[in-house]
Amino acid sequence: MQPTISAILGPVVEVVFPGGGERLLPAPGEVLRTVIRGREPVEALILEVARHTAHDRLQAVAFGDTRGLTVGEPVHVTGEPLAVPVGEGVRGRILDMLGRPLDGGPAPEGPTRPLLRPSTALTQRRAPKEIFETGLKVLDLLAPLPRGGNTGLFGGAGVGKTVLMMELMHNTVAKHHGVSVFAGIGERSREARELWIEMQESDVLKDVVLVFGQMGETPGIRFRTALCALTMSEWFRDEAKRDVLLFMDNVFRFVQAGNEVSGMLGRAPSRVGYQPTLAVEIAELEERIASTGGAAITSVQAIYVPADDITDPAVAELFGHLDSFLVLSREAASEGLYPAVDPIRSTSTLLVPEVVGARHARVAAEVRRTLAKYEELRDIIALMGMDELGPDDRRAVSRARRLRRFLTQPFAVTHAFTGEEGAYVPLESTLSGCEAILAGQHDDVPEQAFYMGGALDQLLARHRERGVK
């Protein structure tokens, strides 16, 4: 007898197999198909087996709206795992996690790959030992991105995670000779359209794959969007032998979608209401982002921090899988110091002399030490003023404020709003500028002259020009 739907719990569907004891149930991860006859025209609905609940029944997650689906509807067992399109046919396209086009074009042609795949074996992995230059001063200096590693952008609401992600895409995609894949997990339609237009105007869309599971989609689609983009990235790494830039915005929404699915499956919640499978789900995603001898996957992930609590269980779980940490500061954003990166809490595992070189490691340590000294003295300054500080402390505060403003810069993607042209600063210029400020070569220059610009020589030239005028 054909299996049928026995219960519908939002995005989770229970399927009963009559005489289930006489046959094996489909394995978790396999695809089931049914139709929704309560709509015109009749719509097909794809289900993914989530778990077995009895010898003759299972629960499956729906990749679509279940409104109109009826109990008793027959279900077709495909015997195949959930697969997504891969290959050259997805380049330059905007797709959802089922491979359906969102750009009005035809469905992509070419091979497919199973969505759920094991991570790369440890013996085949290549450890990240090279910096991926971004042109953003504070990132390249204090939290260099590893080529072939994982970078996280941590921040609460409204501190600039998505804008920083778009600037990183703008600065790196055009100079990157491989393929770039963007996973929009729970993205707003406005953000998705802005990103699409930005890619078109930069003339890099032909080498970019955009995969969206938008905010209005069901939790099943949002939960699998990140793995879909990762599966596409793995094909370019393994088969085409091309380096891949993988951007994910926002990984916390991946966790939220998993939590929604977990609740509907009837699992008891764990810490702070998160799903009990939180660690496993994050590991299944993060551990597949790896580099091999042939090519590398370099990931940059925006991660929302609920209530600015960096100790949140989901955020803390993600920390253990990352090589570089960029913590965005609400205080810096309120002071207009963009990108609003906290220079003390942000760091990278690559920031050691053996990888970045003795000079870079030394300058980064001195900058962080100077800025930390300023943070220690801020309360004293607020209560008693600068005059109560000793000469050494006043000098340190003066240089720290110049350094903090030097590490700001305008973004190309915000040009339409600010009127300021974006600045790309090579790492060598960033190091030279920090060394000059630390040495006190420009103590006579007003600190505002270092604000929102590019390399140090350009900032000084702008200051002299404004002084003449």
Side-chain angles (χ1 to χ4, degrees):
M1 295 178 63
Q2 190 171 11
T4 58
I5 294 173
S6 59
I8 304 166
L9 305 170
V12 173
V13 176
E14 185 180 75
V15 181
V16 63
F17 287 72
E22 302 173 2
R23 55 168 291 176
L24 293 176
L25 299 180
E30 287 192 19
V31 170
L32 309 177
R33 295 182 183 275
T34 187
V35 294
I36 301 177
R37 303 184 189 278
R39 300 181 194 164
E40 291 295 336
V42 174
E43 290 186 15
L45 182 65
I46 296 175
L47 311 171
E48 182 189 16
V49 177
R51 67 172 183 171
H52 299 166
T53 56
H55 74 283
D56 63 344
R57 64 191 61 221
L58 55 79
Q59 288 181 318
V61 178
F63 294 121
D65 192 351
T66 57
R67 286 178 294 182
L69 187 63
T70 58
V71 172
E73 186 67 42
V75 175
H76 173 65
V77 179
T78 66
E80 300 176 350
L82 183 64
V84 298
V86 295
E88 297 293 338
V90 301
R91 286 174 52 193
R93 301 300 307 276
I94 306 176
L95 309 168
D96 69 4
M97 55 80 53
L98 295 173
R100 296 177 298 200
L102 301 177
D103 53 9
E109 299 179 359
T112 61
R113 265 196 175 190
L115 190 76
L116 301 177
R117 307 176 69 246
S119 59
T120 306
L122 288 176
T123 54
Q124 300 175 357
R125 291 173 179 251
R126 185 181 65 190
K129 294 292 183 183
E130 183 182 352
I131 288 179
F132 194 96
E133 188 174 296
T134 66
L136 299 178
K137 291 178 283 191
V138 66
L139 272 66
D140 290 339
L141 175 68
L142 299 175
L145 274 62
R147 184 184 297 275
N150 296 353
T151 297
L153 310 180
F154 294 87
V159 295
K161 294 184 302 299
T162 298
V163 174
L164 180 55
M165 172 82 74
M166 291 179 66
E167 183 69 8
L168 282 169
M169 291 187 70
H170 178 276
N171 284 6
T172 57
V173 168
K175 297 175 175 61
H176 178 59
H177 299 297
V179 179
S180 299
V181 180
F182 178 84
I185 309 165
E187 281 282 281
R188 301 174 182 88
S189 299
R190 171 186 56 79
E191 294 173 337
R193 180 166 179 80
E194 287 175 358
L195 180 61
W196 180 29
I197 293 173
E198 173 69 25
M199 295 294 102
Q200 285 181 317
E201 292 178 349
S202 303
D203 195 29
V204 296
L205 188 59
K206 62 183 181 298
D207 288 318
V208 178
V209 185
L210 302 175
V211 184
F212 287 109
Q214 292 172 245
M215 189 174 284
E217 298 286 0
T218 61
I221 290 179
R222 286 183 275 119
F223 184 55
R224 291 304 192 203
T225 296
L227 285 178
C228 173
L230 180 53
T231 302
M232 294 177 178
S233 301
E234 288 173 330
W235 186 92
F236 286 109
R237 180 195 65 189
D238 300 336
E239 304 299 329
K241 305 297 182 185
R242 300 186 66 178
D243 286 347
V244 182
L245 274 176
L246 174 61
F247 296 90
M248 290 193 283
D249 186 12
N250 186 303
V251 177
F252 185 79
R253 295 191 188 125
F254 158 79
V255 172
Q256 282 183 314
N259 197 14
E260 292 178 52
V261 172
S262 179
M264 289 298 182
L265 289 172
R267 297 183 183 131
S270 184
R271 286 188 303 163
V272 199
Y274 284 111
Q275 59 270 42
T277 53
L278 174 66
V280 174
E281 291 169 1
I282 290 176
E284 286 177 347
L285 172 67
E286 298 290 348
E287 291 304 306
R288 282 175 59 181
I289 304 173
S291 301
T292 63
I297 297 179
T298 302
S299 82
V300 180
Q301 309 168 24
I303 301 163
Y304 168 70
V305 179
D308 292 341
D309 180 13
I310 207 74
T311 64
D312 182 87
V315 177
E317 191 66 41
L318 283 159
F319 261 112
H321 296 276
L322 301 174
D323 302 293
S324 181
F325 319 95
L326 295 168
V327 180
L328 302 187
S329 163
R330 189 170 303 281
E331 183 179 5
S334 66
E335 295 177 12
L337 301 174
Y338 291 104
V341 174
D342 187 323
I344 298 173
R345 291 195 291 174
S346 302
T347 187
S348 170
T349 58
L350 268 63
L351 203 57
V352 292
E354 294 80 8
V355 178
V356 299
R359 181 194 179 201
H360 185 168
R362 174 181 53 79
V363 172
E366 290 181 12
V367 167
R368 189 173 276 120
R369 192 181 306 115
T370 303
L371 294 173
K373 181 69 173 177
Y374 173 49
E375 290 298 321
E376 292 175 9
L377 296 171
R378 289 186 74 165
D379 289 343
I380 296 175
I381 295 170
L383 289 172
M384 306 176 67
M386 285 280 289
D387 294 338
E388 297 300 318
L389 300 179
D392 291 341
D393 286 344
R394 282 202 299 269
R395 191 180 306 113
V397 169
S398 172
R399 291 173 187 175
R401 290 179 63 85
R402 284 166 173 77
L403 278 171
R404 193 65 189 90
R405 279 149 183 76
F406 173 66
L407 293 177
T408 64
Q409 66 190 90
F411 286 173
V413 296
T414 60
H415 171 66
F417 306 101
T418 64
E420 294 281 344
E421 294 289 343
Y424 184 100
V425 183
L427 176 59
E428 175 62 30
S429 297
T430 300
L431 295 176
S432 299
C434 289
E435 286 175 328
I437 295 172
L438 287 167
Q441 296 179 14
H442 305 291
D443 286 355
D444 58 332
V445 179
E447 62 184 45
Q448 196 62 22
F450 298 91
Y451 179 68
M452 278 294 172
L456 182 60
D457 56 349
Q458 297 171 339
L459 290 167
L460 296 175
R462 183 182 69 181
H463 171 64
R464 287 193 294 268
E465 181 183 347
R466 290 176 176 175
V468 171
K469 289 180 181 179

